Amino acid sequence: MQHGKHQSATAVVAKVPGGKHPGVKQPRVKLSTRQKMERAYHQYGFPLGFLALPVVIYAIFVISPFVQSIYYSFTDWTGLSSDFKMVGFKNYDWLLHDDLFWTAVGHNVLLLLVVPLVTLGLGLFFAFMLNVGGRSKKNAAVSGVRGSSIYKVVYFFPQVLSIAIVALLFQFTYNPRNGALNAFLGGIGLDSLQQEWLADPKLALWCLMVVMVWCNVGFYVVLFSAGMSAIPKDFYEAALLDGANRITTFFRITLPLLWDTVQTGWIYMGILALDAFAVVQIMTVGPGGPADSTQVLGYMVYTKTFRDGQAGRATAIGVAMLIVTLIFAVIVGRLGRRERLEY
Amino acid sequence: MGSTPDFGRRDLIKRSAALGLVAVPSISTLTACASGGDDGNKVDKGKKSDKNPLAVNESAALDVVIFDGGFGQKYAKDAEAEYEKAYPKTAGKVKHSATQKIQTVLQPRFNGGTPPDLIDNSGAEQMDFGTLVAKNQLTDLTPLLDAPSVDDPSKKVRDTLRPGVVEMGQFDGKPVWILYYAYTVYGVWYSKTNLEKLDAEYPETWDDMLKVCEKAKKKGIAGWTYPGKFPYYMPFSLYPFIAKIGGPDTLIAIDNLEPNAWKHPAVKAAFEAYYELYKKGYILKGSPGLTHIESQTAWNQGKALFIPNGSWVENEAKKTTPKDFQMSVGAPSSLDSSDKMPFGTIWASGGEPFIVPKAAKNPEGGMELLRIMLGEKSTKNFVKQVSSLTSLNGGTDGLSLPPGLQSAQEALEKAGTNVVNPRLQDWYVALQKQQIGVGALGEMMAGRMTPAEAIKKIQKFADETAKDDAVKKYKHA
Amino acid sequence: MSAQAQPSELPGAIKEDEAPGAAGKAPGTGKVPDFPPKGRISSEGKVLNVFSHGMLVLWGLLVTLPLLWAVMSSLKTDKEIFTSPWGLPASLHFDNWSRAWSKSNIGDFFLNTVLVVGCSLIGTMLLGSMAAYVLARFEFPGKRIIYFMFVGGMSFPVILALVPLFFVMRNMSLLNTYHGLILVYIAYSLPFTVFFLTSFFKTLPSSVAEAALIDGASQTRTFFQVMLPMAKPGLISVGIFNFLGQWNQYMLPTVLNTDEDKRMLTQGLVQLAASQQYKGDWSALFAGLVLAMLPVLGVYIVFQRQVQTGLTAGALK
């Protein structure tokens, strides 16, 4: 992005340092007011016209509800009637002293760290296997495994299913009595590994993470695999010749070249992980349990708004969620400052 | 994604200024809609007559939302057909919808001032009554209660109801905000057949209970199961058990959130008795992870003898119940001879809470539909369809009741005046379900918490609720 | 995109007939065998091949088994589901499917969803690419604010906005309408679309657009006739993201679209699932799940090539 310092709206943008957009602006000196306006129209008319509709729709349906929500977080709104008053920072004070809130924050942070990491890691791993793991052929230093297109199709399956459906499916899978998982473990003689899964506070959150990872790995396999197949084979060949092994080629060639894609995926996964609402609501004991072991901020917003009629507090939690996300985005942004390679 | 933009102080200032600009108009929209809930959109009242005591507008539309749960929605549709028959000009104007997502569907409508005319506010996602009442969102149902019954014009609706129903609908003082349509008997549910197979009877004392469970265990059958996913089913048999041991005041103190109410010795005795079921291995394996349906199904299959439940279970489990199951409900067994209340003490109270919103367009219509539902014809239809009692006292004459309902009726007769009615689940949903249920009882029954720890935790939760000024408080009269 | 800046660690020389010796293990799994001298297909190559096939098959099973299990359960009786979770059904109970189908109006909901998602997808792509193009290639006051406003939207938890959004919709008489839902879907898809496409447009070479402008084409025409076709790969990728997101959207329609006839597929399914849970009709519940999965899986299998090329193009930027 350009570091354009914008002058006030009436002034003509005379020069943009390092301007990369020729055909858009030509520097000029000394203009009459009318000319200035014409130029301003000429210059900004097109961007304005193109932006107007998206910005208006976005402002009405996204920005304004969110700003209203932030306003509500300073009220004692119940969510059930339009009768409420301002209470200052009371909801935030409650929040900071609520044990459940901090438990939920902890779980959200864990989800934010683990789910994207594991999903993207597995995605990269399988994509690498698909593209580079094959038996070597004549004339090719590296080659994909046979049937890689079938894998890509199959792996993508969970991604096209609604999360509500997936959550429901896994709820049955985890069922301790006749769920597929325990039945399977029993069937292959591993009875000792049978667990209560979602009913065990030590395992429940991890069970949810498995579902979130299960859903999304396929998408990143396809995405990364596409990226990898676009990396010229010569790079690998050269590296291999140079004495590098496949692991080094992965970290020295594949990963740096895919970094942008990984970063986009990271942000996307992070947002998904933060919103663990559907899996918590559909799958867990309580929901949110056992013993609050799967409480997350999204579900708390939901229960406070809808079950307890404390929408003021709920919106305060929502604002906290926003802050967690922003911190996450800043961290990912910093990771993105890594040196980039181009080809 | 280009290079990372450099966030400067200037940008921050600019951005916050922009936010301010966006914020101003949206707050004004907000105030505009805050004042939206006026009464100007009500339908005109109709002409009052003997046949139309509530002065229902005879041609106005009616908007009904039913909770589509264990009882389904057909009973309500049938009653709506009766309504259309009574007011032929409304034909085709009764808008019926059914959902399990009461909150998400209706909450915005309340906010927007366009709620339906009659709601069955029930299920796991019911709206909080405390808030609805506190925020003056409901219509007082007194006119309905004082109207003549459909069956006998000489009797008021109020006098045809089962004892306790009207009181349950009151929160503070006179107005009656809720009418509980179903009448639920809670307790320990079992299959007579399965007990007979073990050569046992329903245990009237806790010692016998343990003996029966031991006997079952030897045959590879569990004594108890429960919906561990929703551990707030435990209280259905546990709370009357506490009342039986310590007297009704123990429960009233608990409902009133009195300090140290949970420290009462009766609570400890009841918790320890239940904990023993876990310690002796009488609980069906996997129960902590089961939903209500899953645990009921295991119980239907004879994998466990007892389950804490309410009388809706007979209808809910209809599909999985064997023909010769002989479903029955038992009152909590006696712990010992010092129990304050006799064997037979049971929890029975209204279920399926119906409300008429204050901002409803046609509140008279909503009440009239309830009046029709409380008539004998609709009641019998309900009893037949979903095998549950209604709040209409009687209404079962001439019907052959299914076994579970029959036993519930007998249990009620046996209990006489020893009926308790704990209110925690209507008054403080978060406390009852999430904190006591999932946070403590579920943990104790799964063996991860001792009774002493559970009590300590529950007392802490109760104290927090008592202190929280965002939660409206209620007291037993 | 341009081929400059070769990674320094890569020597330029390439030799034919080089078979790589291979690390016998996956990245990150410990021991790394030495790179063998140049030569024939090495045994390590085979080890790697076996290993990678093994891992790939394992994940393939992990993905397909739960789905197959659901299909199998949907053809069983309730009793079979409970007594032998992995057993094959004694006979195929397709009546479960018809029960689920007739109870849930899945067919109607499917059409509703196609209509709404189809329109919102077109709208999202059009408006999103217009905004992104301007934000990527023009300088004007307030540009960064607008960009951050859009991108910041990615971090808003939707649940926070639900009730105020309901008011906004009600005041504009958009509740329970298809066009209202379409507008909302578009609005909530814009952040990611703008974020993704802005960076995509930045990577496109400007020479073609310049040439078009010099030839006298208007900015608008340049955009639609030159830039959009060039951006097609990026559009397809983000289109796939958006399609999946909108198709599976549950929260927004639950609150904003309560009219029973206008339900989206996800609403209908959750409704079906919830009511089957209360009624204990397990086999129909599994059947409903399968009915919901099959069409989407079918559509995916038919279009999987396009989906993958779309993603490929996106990854190439």
Side-chain angles (χ1 to χ4, degrees), chain A residues 250-265:
Chain A
F250 175 79
F251 283 105
R252 282 175 46 197
I253 303 174
T254 316
L255 197 56
L257 289 176
L258 280 180
W259 193 249
D260 270 0
T261 320
V262 172
Q263 210 190 348
T264 314

mmCIF file of all heavy atoms in Angstrom, chain A residues 250-265:
data_model
loop_
_atom_site.group_PDB
_atom_site.id
_atom_site.type_symbol
_atom_site.label_atom_id
_atom_site.label_comp_id
_atom_site.label_asym_id
_atom_site.label_seq_id
_atom_site.Cartn_x
_atom_site.Cartn_y
_atom_site.Cartn_z
ATOM 1 N N PHE A 250 11.086 -27.792 1.770
ATOM 2 C CA PHE A 250 9.781 -27.323 2.223
ATOM 3 C C PHE A 250 9.920 -25.977 2.928
ATOM 4 O O PHE A 250 9.205 -25.031 2.635
ATOM 5 C CB PHE A 250 9.141 -28.341 3.164
ATOM 6 C CG PHE A 250 7.854 -27.872 3.755
ATOM 7 C CD1 PHE A 250 6.683 -27.928 3.020
ATOM 8 C CD2 PHE A 250 7.820 -27.343 5.036
ATOM 9 C CE1 PHE A 250 5.502 -27.473 3.552
ATOM 10 C CE2 PHE A 250 6.637 -26.880 5.568
ATOM 11 C CZ PHE A 250 5.472 -26.946 4.824
ATOM 12 N N PHE A 251 10.892 -25.927 3.852
ATOM 13 C CA PHE A 251 10.993 -24.699 4.637
ATOM 14 C C PHE A 251 11.690 -23.576 3.878
ATOM 15 O O PHE A 251 11.478 -22.416 4.168
ATOM 16 C CB PHE A 251 11.722 -24.963 5.963
ATOM 17 C CG PHE A 251 10.826 -25.654 6.952
ATOM 18 C CD1 PHE A 251 10.973 -27.001 7.236
ATOM 19 C CD2 PHE A 251 9.788 -24.960 7.560
ATOM 20 C CE1 PHE A 251 10.136 -27.626 8.123
ATOM 21 C CE2 PHE A 251 8.941 -25.588 8.453
ATOM 22 C CZ PHE A 251 9.121 -26.934 8.736
ATOM 23 N N ARG A 252 12.546 -23.930 2.919
ATOM 24 C CA ARG A 252 13.290 -22.873 2.243
ATOM 25 C C ARG A 252 12.648 -22.443 0.934
ATOM 26 O O ARG A 252 12.863 -21.328 0.481
ATOM 27 C CB ARG A 252 14.732 -23.300 2.030
ATOM 28 C CG ARG A 252 15.450 -23.130 3.364
ATOM 29 C CD ARG A 252 16.850 -23.604 3.407
ATOM 30 N NE ARG A 252 17.670 -23.208 2.297
ATOM 31 C CZ ARG A 252 18.822 -23.829 2.030
ATOM 32 N NH1 ARG A 252 19.228 -24.828 2.787
ATOM 33 N NH2 ARG A 252 19.542 -23.439 1.031
ATOM 34 N N ILE A 253 11.855 -23.289 0.349
ATOM 35 C CA ILE A 253 11.233 -22.895 -0.917
ATOM 36 C C ILE A 253 9.718 -22.795 -0.786
ATOM 37 O O ILE A 253 9.124 -21.741 -0.976
ATOM 38 C CB ILE A 253 11.569 -23.898 -2.042
ATOM 39 C CG1 ILE A 253 13.076 -23.993 -2.184
ATOM 40 C CG2 ILE A 253 10.916 -23.464 -3.333
ATOM 41 C CD1 ILE A 253 13.502 -25.048 -3.148
ATOM 42 N N THR A 254 9.113 -23.926 -0.416
ATOM 43 C CA THR A 254 7.657 -23.986 -0.449
ATOM 44 C C THR A 254 7.023 -22.952 0.472
ATOM 45 O O THR A 254 6.206 -22.134 0.046
ATOM 46 C CB THR A 254 7.191 -25.389 -0.035
ATOM 47 O OG1 THR A 254 8.009 -26.344 -0.683
ATOM 48 C CG2 THR A 254 5.757 -25.594 -0.399
ATOM 49 N N LEU A 255 7.406 -23.008 1.727
ATOM 50 C CA LEU A 255 6.745 -22.153 2.703
ATOM 51 C C LEU A 255 6.922 -20.665 2.384
ATOM 52 O O LEU A 255 5.931 -19.927 2.361
ATOM 53 C CB LEU A 255 7.244 -22.499 4.110
ATOM 54 C CG LEU A 255 6.374 -22.001 5.247
ATOM 55 C CD1 LEU A 255 4.949 -22.516 5.093
ATOM 56 C CD2 LEU A 255 6.934 -22.445 6.587
ATOM 57 N N PRO A 256 8.140 -20.199 2.129
ATOM 58 C CA PRO A 256 8.271 -18.769 1.816
ATOM 59 C C PRO A 256 7.464 -18.352 0.596
ATOM 60 O O PRO A 256 6.842 -17.282 0.596
ATOM 61 C CB PRO A 256 9.764 -18.600 1.544
ATOM 62 C CG PRO A 256 10.414 -19.737 2.231
ATOM 63 C CD PRO A 256 9.437 -20.873 2.206
ATOM 64 N N LEU A 257 7.411 -19.202 -0.402
ATOM 65 C CA LEU A 257 6.679 -18.821 -1.600
ATOM 66 C C LEU A 257 5.177 -18.831 -1.381
ATOM 67 O O LEU A 257 4.432 -18.178 -2.088
ATOM 68 C CB LEU A 257 7.056 -19.756 -2.764
ATOM 69 C CG LEU A 257 8.464 -19.528 -3.297
ATOM 70 C CD1 LEU A 257 8.799 -20.549 -4.367
ATOM 71 C CD2 LEU A 257 8.614 -18.120 -3.858
ATOM 72 N N LEU A 258 4.749 -19.607 -0.402
ATOM 73 C CA LEU A 258 3.307 -19.699 -0.144
ATOM 74 C C LEU A 258 2.879 -18.749 0.964
ATOM 75 O O LEU A 258 1.736 -18.779 1.398
ATOM 76 C CB LEU A 258 2.940 -21.118 0.268
ATOM 77 C CG LEU A 258 2.797 -22.147 -0.842
ATOM 78 C CD1 LEU A 258 2.432 -23.486 -0.244
ATOM 79 C CD2 LEU A 258 1.733 -21.717 -1.830
ATOM 80 N N TRP A 259 3.828 -17.960 1.470
ATOM 81 C CA TRP A 259 3.549 -17.268 2.724
ATOM 82 C C TRP A 259 2.298 -16.402 2.680
ATOM 83 O O TRP A 259 1.509 -16.378 3.627
ATOM 84 C CB TRP A 259 4.761 -16.443 3.160
ATOM 85 C CG TRP A 259 4.596 -15.994 4.562
ATOM 86 C CD1 TRP A 259 4.385 -14.735 5.012
ATOM 87 C CD2 TRP A 259 4.571 -16.835 5.727
ATOM 88 N NE1 TRP A 259 4.238 -14.718 6.363
ATOM 89 C CE2 TRP A 259 4.341 -16.004 6.833
ATOM 90 C CE3 TRP A 259 4.707 -18.213 5.941
ATOM 91 C CZ2 TRP A 259 4.259 -16.489 8.132
ATOM 92 C CZ3 TRP A 259 4.616 -18.699 7.237
ATOM 93 C CH2 TRP A 259 4.401 -17.841 8.308
ATOM 94 N N ASP A 260 2.090 -15.703 1.581
ATOM 95 C CA ASP A 260 0.904 -14.853 1.472
ATOM 96 C C ASP A 260 -0.384 -15.653 1.628
ATOM 97 O O ASP A 260 -1.314 -15.249 2.312
ATOM 98 C CB ASP A 260 0.876 -14.164 0.104
ATOM 99 C CG ASP A 260 1.590 -12.830 0.167
ATOM 100 O OD1 ASP A 260 2.073 -12.485 1.269
ATOM 101 O OD2 ASP A 260 1.666 -12.167 -0.872
ATOM 102 N N THR A 261 -0.403 -16.778 0.949
ATOM 103 C CA THR A 261 -1.592 -17.618 1.013
ATOM 104 C C THR A 261 -1.803 -18.124 2.438
ATOM 105 O O THR A 261 -2.916 -18.139 2.953
ATOM 106 C CB THR A 261 -1.438 -18.821 0.070
ATOM 107 O OG1 THR A 261 -0.831 -18.364 -1.115
ATOM 108 C CG2 THR A 261 -2.760 -19.447 -0.228
ATOM 109 N N VAL A 262 -0.708 -18.541 3.069
ATOM 110 C CA VAL A 262 -0.799 -19.028 4.437
ATOM 111 C C VAL A 262 -1.360 -17.936 5.330
ATOM 112 O O VAL A 262 -2.226 -18.179 6.170
ATOM 113 C CB VAL A 262 0.590 -19.481 4.939
ATOM 114 C CG1 VAL A 262 0.539 -19.815 6.424
ATOM 115 C CG2 VAL A 262 1.065 -20.680 4.151
ATOM 116 N N GLN A 263 -0.907 -16.741 5.109
ATOM 117 C CA GLN A 263 -1.344 -15.644 5.967
ATOM 118 C C GLN A 263 -2.832 -15.351 5.798
ATOM 119 O O GLN A 263 -3.550 -15.173 6.773
ATOM 120 C CB GLN A 263 -0.538 -14.406 5.624
ATOM 121 C CG GLN A 263 -0.367 -13.499 6.815
ATOM 122 C CD GLN A 263 0.230 -12.185 6.386
ATOM 123 O OE1 GLN A 263 0.705 -12.050 5.267
ATOM 124 N NE2 GLN A 263 0.197 -11.231 7.274
ATOM 125 N N THR A 264 -3.288 -15.329 4.555
ATOM 126 C CA THR A 264 -4.725 -15.141 4.332
ATOM 127 C C THR A 264 -5.507 -16.242 5.030
ATOM 128 O O THR A 264 -6.499 -15.991 5.713
ATOM 129 C CB THR A 264 -5.057 -15.199 2.822
ATOM 130 O OG1 THR A 264 -4.103 -14.409 2.143
ATOM 131 C CG2 THR A 264 -6.440 -14.714 2.552
ATOM 132 N N GLY A 265 -5.033 -17.462 4.843
ATOM 133 C CA GLY A 265 -5.699 -18.598 5.467
ATOM 134 C C GLY A 265 -5.714 -18.463 6.975
ATOM 135 O O GLY A 265 -6.695 -18.792 7.632
#
